């Protein structure tokens, strides 16, 4: 029925609104077809009646084996006493914590001054809770800090005279169940404190040879991790792990390695399949409203977009033909499936083979070198903190050098030092202009730019060696833990795009609710080539060049 509305511009506007002729809705909901014979004929022409008498799956029987990781070790030749060879396997249980904490964690260097003061403050707090504050002077006399060097006041210098040294407390309490303190009557406090201390500083105690804390997978000459993992009768090798989180694509199968002895237990599951659902799938019911957020019909495609057209046709025509069979596998396992037996609604059974059995190229999530199996690494990504140290590896074609630019590091007191900001405060001034000009042997490079000089090892092998840069009023030397004075790096680890190596703290929670803390060393692509501004025999004119 048309409705008329007069607009101010002098024109009439008509709107058509459908109105029901009756007061019932059954006829409309029935959606009657006035010519059913024609509709059936059109369905026959398009082959919609050429179906199969197939039922829907109602039960799936899954058989296979799921092998848990049993051991790990740093890869390569070990530095243990003769005979030289691969390092021994270190047992690992996925229920104890994420594997990243063992593989990525840096070797123990002892707690810094900040952590020592924090541990002492926690001991004072436990004394107060136990009502033993009167014994604090005795504790300070027995476990006092050494005199702090002169410097600006900070949290460490303010608290060190008022709290005991946590490292000295730990030396007396380790292995003594709280009874090793030099001050009597503090056994209960000492036992509570040492349990807390091992949670925040697990590497404070000396690590025994062959234990995870005594092993380091990090290669300082490549800034990468290299490690092996044993799963049953297989060994997986991570050759160039960058420290950004373990996953199935981080490793390859190593058929030549000898695994640690471990069983390969089978499993048997019966599950109920469920239909696969995804955005844009056609609705199952006639009057069901479909989601308009994803409309395959409005996709912009051309006649040559074969792949896109096939995806749309698959989603619109065959989307409801796929079913999902859930299977829960444990963390840190290698799971391989046998043929799945499916029972449909008519009671018939069907055997479904693995998709890539006859075609090895049709495999998803398969490790290189392995023909089958889903590898689920026991990885806990966790929350990554701010950078504790940052080193950029870059090439300088104008100076014909490579550089290790250490922009920041963490000092012994646990404080982050910005070397660039510090250099801007202490950088020497250039020569004053004079009427006849000036001469300099070389330009001054910031002290946090550390030169990497190429050394030819063989006719086809070059490596970069970290050497001191001699220049007036500037002391260029590496600080922190990523670089040292006699450091060298393989040439291929400093590409044209450069590399960024960082140290970051990680806090992860495992599936049993336990918390795990470690410091990750991670390598990422850099920002390209750089220029240090290093020049020799520099003549500065008295006036600006045109």
């Amino acid at each position: 029925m048309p409705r008329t509305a007069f607009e101010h511009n002098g024109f009439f506007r008509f709107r058509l609104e459908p109105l029901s002729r009756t007061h019932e809705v059954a006829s409309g909901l029935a959606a009657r077809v006035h010519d059913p014979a024609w509709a059936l004929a059109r369905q026959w022409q398009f082959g919609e009646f050429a179906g199969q008498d197939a039922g829907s799956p109602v039960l799936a029987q899954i058989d296979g084996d799921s092998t848990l990781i049993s051991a790990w070790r740093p890869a390569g030749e070990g530095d243990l006493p003769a005979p030289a060879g691969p390092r021994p396997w270190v047992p690992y249980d996925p229920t104890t914590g994420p594997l990243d904490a063992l593989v990525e964690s840096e070797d123990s260097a002892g707690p810094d001054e900040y952590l020592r003061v924090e541990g002492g403050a926690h001991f004072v707090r436990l004394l107060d809770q136990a009502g033993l504050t009167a014994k604090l002077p005795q504790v300070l006399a027995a476990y006092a800090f050494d005199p702090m060097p002169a410097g600006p006041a900070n949290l460490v210098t303010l608290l060190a005279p008022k709290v005991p040294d946590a490292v000295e407390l730990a030396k007396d309490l380790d292995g003594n169940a709280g009874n090793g303190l030099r001050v009597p009557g503090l056994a209960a406090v000492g036992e509570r404190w040492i349990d807390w201390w091992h949670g925040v500083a697990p590497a404070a105690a000396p690590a025994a040879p062959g234990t995870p804390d005594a092993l380091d997978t990090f290669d300082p000459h490549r800034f990468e991790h290299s490690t092996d993992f044993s799963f049953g009768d297989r060994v997986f090798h991570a050759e160039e792990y960058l420290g950004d989180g373990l996953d199935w694509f981080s490793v390859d199968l190593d058929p030549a390695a000898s695994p640690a002895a471990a069983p390969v237990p089978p499993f048997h599951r019966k599950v109920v399949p469920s239909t696969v659902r995804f955005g844009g799938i056609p609705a199952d019911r006639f009057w069901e409203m479909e989601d308009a957020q994803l409309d395959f019909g409005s996709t912009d495609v051309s006649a040559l977009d074969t792949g896109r057209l096939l995806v749309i046709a698959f989603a619109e025509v065959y989307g409801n033909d796929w079913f999902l069979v859930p299977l829960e596998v444990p963390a840190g396992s290698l799971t391989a499936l046998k043929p799945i037996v499916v029972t449909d609604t008519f009671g018939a059974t069907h055997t479904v083979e693995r998709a890539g059995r006859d075609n090895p190229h049709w495999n998803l999530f398969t490790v290189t070198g392995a023909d089958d199996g889903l590898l689920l690494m026991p990885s806990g990504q966790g929350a990554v903190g701010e950078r504790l140290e940052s080193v950029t590896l870059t090439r300088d074609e104008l100076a014909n050098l490579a550089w290790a630019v250490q922009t920041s590091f963490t000092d012994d007191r646990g404080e982050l030092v910005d070397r660039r900001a510090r250099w801007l405060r202490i950088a020497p001034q250039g020569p004053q202009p004079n009427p006849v000009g000036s001469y300099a042997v070389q330009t001054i490079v910031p002290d946090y730019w550390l030169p990497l000089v190429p050394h030819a090892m063989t006719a086809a092998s070059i490596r970069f060696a970290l050497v001191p840069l001699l220049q007036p009023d500037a002391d260029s030397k590496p600080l922190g833990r990523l670089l040292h004075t006699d450091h060298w790096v393989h040439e291929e680890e400093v590409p044209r795009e450069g590399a960024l190596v960082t140290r970051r703290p990680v806090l992860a929670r495992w599936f049993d609710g336990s918390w795990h803390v470690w410091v990750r060393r991670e390598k990422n692509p850099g920002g390209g080539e750089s220029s240090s501004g290093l020049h020799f025999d520099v003549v500065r004119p008295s006036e600006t060049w045109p």
Side-chain angles (χ1 to χ4, degrees):
M1 175 179 293
R3 290 190 177 183
T4 306
F6 179 75
E7 298 182 354
H8 295 286
N9 55 9
F11 293 93
F12 287 91
R13 179 168 51 88
F14 296 93
R15 184 176 67 181
L16 297 179
E17 296 181 355
L19 296 179
S20 177
R21 298 180 181 178
T22 63
H23 297 288
E24 52 89 20
V25 296
S27 300
L29 293 177
R32 297 177 180 175
V33 178
H34 291 279
D35 193 352
W38 178 87
L40 291 174
R42 295 296 291 173
Q43 287 182 286
W44 171 76
Q45 288 179 336
F46 281 96
E48 296 184 7
F49 296 149
Q52 296 179 352
D53 294 333
S56 299
V58 295
L59 185 65
Q61 178 178 319
I62 306 176
D63 294 285
D65 54 77
S66 186
T67 308
L68 290 175
I69 179 175
S70 59
W72 73 283
R73 68 184 179 190
E77 299 295 323
D79 52 1
L80 301 176
R87 293 180 174 90
W89 289 106
V90 179
Y92 170 72
D93 184 1
T95 60
T96 59
L99 189 58
D100 311 61
L102 302 176
V103 174
E104 299 174 357
S105 180
E106 58 189 7
D107 54 344
S108 173
D112 53 28
E113 293 180 353
Y114 184 90
L115 186 58
R116 291 164 61 186
V117 168
E118 183 182 359
H122 186 69
F123 190 87
V124 174
R125 189 180 304 113
L126 293 179
L127 285 178
D128 181 67
Q129 293 176 1
L132 301 174
T133 310
K135 291 184 176 292
L136 180 59
Q138 303 178 43
V139 174
L140 293 179
Y143 300 100
F145 275 90
D146 294 332
M148 291 289 176
N154 53 29
L155 184 62
V156 173
T157 57
L158 292 176
L159 289 181
K162 303 177 182 180
V163 298
D165 189 351
V167 172
E168 297 299 324
L169 288 171
K171 289 181 180 178
D172 290 347
L173 290 174
D174 272 327
N176 294 316
N179 296 318
L181 290 175
R182 306 169 199 170
V183 180
L186 301 180
V189 175
E191 186 175 357
R192 291 179 57 191
W193 182 86
I194 196 63
D195 291 339
W196 172 86
W197 177 250
H198 286 160
V200 299
T211 60
D213 291 337
L215 301 177
D216 192 6
T217 66
F218 190 71
D219 185 356
H221 307 301
R222 297 189 181 274
F223 298 104
E224 298 168 347
H225 299 267
S226 181
T227 180
D228 294 331
F229 309 103
S230 178
F231 288 80
D233 56 352
R234 297 184 182 184
V235 175
F236 293 95
H237 174 66
E239 177 63 29
E240 299 178 355
Y241 174 53
L242 303 181
D244 52 354
L246 286 170
D247 211 331
W248 63 272
F249 50 80
S250 305
V251 299
D252 297 330
L253 180 65
D254 187 1
S258 300
V264 183
F267 65 87
H268 176 77
R269 301 284 190 277
K270 289 185 177 181
V271 296
V272 177
S274 60
T275 56
V276 174
R277 310 298 299 178
F278 55 87
I281 189 173
D284 294 334
R285 300 182 180 181
F286 183 75
W287 290 109
E288 181 181 352
M289 297 298 177
E290 297 183 352
D291 188 3
Q293 294 183 357
L294 186 59
D295 183 12
F296 289 115
S298 61
T299 306
D300 185 15
V301 296
S302 64
L304 300 180
D305 291 336
T306 307
R308 191 175 301 180
L309 290 172
L310 288 175
V311 171
I312 295 175
F314 167 80
E316 294 288 346
V317 180
Y318 305 102
N320 59 350
D321 291 342
W322 291 86
F323 291 82
L324 178 66
V325 179
L327 177 62
E328 183 176 348
V329 297
S333 63
L334 175 64
T335 304
L337 298 181
K338 298 178 181 179
I340 301 177
V341 179
V342 180
T343 304
D344 60 19
T345 51
F346 297 106
T349 58
H350 310 272
T351 302
V352 180
E353 300 287 348
R354 182 171 60 88
R357 184 191 61 173
D358 300 325
N359 185 5
H361 300 289
W362 181 256
N363 276 326
L364 297 178
F365 311 109
T366 302
V367 179
T368 302
D371 56 351
D372 191 12
L374 174 65
L375 180 62
L376 186 62
M377 298 294 291
S379 175
Q381 299 291 338
V384 183
E386 297 294 333
R387 297 175 182 174
L388 301 178
E389 188 174 345
S390 179
V391 175
T392 301
L393 305 177
T394 181
R395 288 179 180 260
D396 185 359
E397 295 296 341
L398 295 179
N400 198 24
L401 288 173
W403 297 88
V405 184
Q406 189 178 44
T407 55
S408 62
F409 74 99
T410 305
D411 61 9
D412 294 337
R413 296 184 177 179
E415 295 184 356
L416 184 65
V417 179
D418 189 342
R419 296 196 66 175
R420 181 179 182 276
R422 187 176 67 175
W423 168 257
L424 294 178
R425 294 192 301 266
I426 64 175
Q429 299 295 328
Q432 297 295 330
N434 58 75
V436 297
S438 61
Y439 168 79
V441 177
Q442 69 178 53
T443 56
I444 302 299
V445 179
D447 61 354
Y448 60 92
W449 283 63
L450 311 174
L452 297 172
V453 179
H455 287 180
M457 307 306 297
T458 62
S461 175
I462 297 177
R463 71 184 186 185
F464 291 114
L466 186 68
V467 299
L469 180 61
L470 302 179
Q471 51 186 359
D473 302 327
D475 185 14
S476 299
K477 63 180 180 180
L479 302 173
R481 303 192 59 183
L482 289 176
L483 301 174
H484 48 81
T485 53
D486 55 349
H487 205 107
W488 61 270
V489 183
H490 292 281
E491 181 195 17
E492 60 269 19
E493 302 305 329
V494 190
R496 291 181 63 89
E497 66 272 13
L500 175 63
V501 186
T502 58
R503 292 175 58 240
R504 290 188 175 189
V506 183
L507 173 63
R509 189 177 185 183
W510 204 225
F511 54 76
D512 60 351
S514 59
W515 294 94
H516 300 268
V517 183
W518 70 93
V519 176
R520 164 185 293 176
R521 291 160 294 182
E522 183 177 349
K523 181 181 178 182
N524 291 290
E529 297 182 358
S530 302
S531 176
S532 62
L534 178 62
H535 302 284
F536 297 95
D537 295 330
V538 181
V539 177
R540 296 182 176 88
S542 58
E543 298 180 357
T544 305
W545 287 348

